[in-house]
Amino acid sequence: MTPALRERLVAAAEAAMQRAYAPYSNFFVGAAVLAASGAMYTGCNVENASYGLTICAERNAIFQGVGAEGAQFRIRAIAVSNKACVACSPCGACRQVIHEFGPEAVVVFRGAQGYTSMVANQLLPAGFSLL
Ligand code: THU
């Protein structure tokens, strides 16, 4: 992935983060997915008074992509940002969902020193698959 593309993806994730609904944790997250089609999809975390119903920004963005493109949707890259600017890699549930649509996808997230990236397969070795 080129530095310019990575910057574009991070900027889109940061824009999506502004729309996060996180009144319970105050942890505001945004994600942007670059699909194999070339389209970009974004999402933010959406919390609920019934805490377990919360959806993470990554899955929100990915589901936007599936909703738009259907079963052929594939992830080329995904960027995640958070307002607190702390190290934050995708949670286990999101790793599994990223793996479903892009085991080779580049995942850009905040590490200890700014944004870093890993391949989805590295973040979730031996991810579950039925296909
Ligand atoms: N969250 C995300 O949206 N993505 C992550 O990668 C980690 C956690 C959200 C869920 C919840 O709304 C808040 O961050 C605190 O866990």
Side-chain angles (χ1 to χ4, degrees):
M1 193 171 50
T2 65
L5 187 54
R6 182 171 140 143
E7 250 174 60
R8 225 182 96 214
L9 213 53
V10 167
E14 288 177 352
M17 179 185 80
Q18 305 301 328
R19 299 186 286 276
Y21 177 75
Y24 305 105
S25 71
N26 280 316
F27 194 71
F28 301 86
V29 188
V33 171
L34 175 67
S37 66
M40 198 182 282
Y41 302 98
T42 62
C44 56
N45 56 329
V46 181
E47 298 186 344
N48 192 272
S50 180
Y51 293 173
L53 302 183
T54 292
I55 184 82
C56 291
E58 296 91 322
R59 276 175 291 155
N60 196 355
I62 292 166
F63 296 160
Q64 297 292 327
V66 177
E69 297 187 13
Q72 76 256 25
F73 170 75
R74 291 290 175 273
I75 303 171
R76 193 183 296 167
I78 177 167
V80 192
S81 60
N82 70 87
K83 210 174 213 168
C85 296
V86 295
C88 177
S89 61
C91 77
C94 290
R95 290 177 198 207
Q96 176 62 31
V97 174
I98 293 167
H99 180 272
E100 180 83 22
F101 297 104
E104 310 292 340
V106 176
V107 184
V108 181
F109 56 95
R110 271 196 183 275
Q113 272 129 15
Y115 285 99
T116 186
S117 57
M118 287 176 74
V119 174
N121 261 332
Q122 280 180 281
L123 273 175
L124 185 70
F128 179 64
S129 179
L130 282 175
L131 301 175

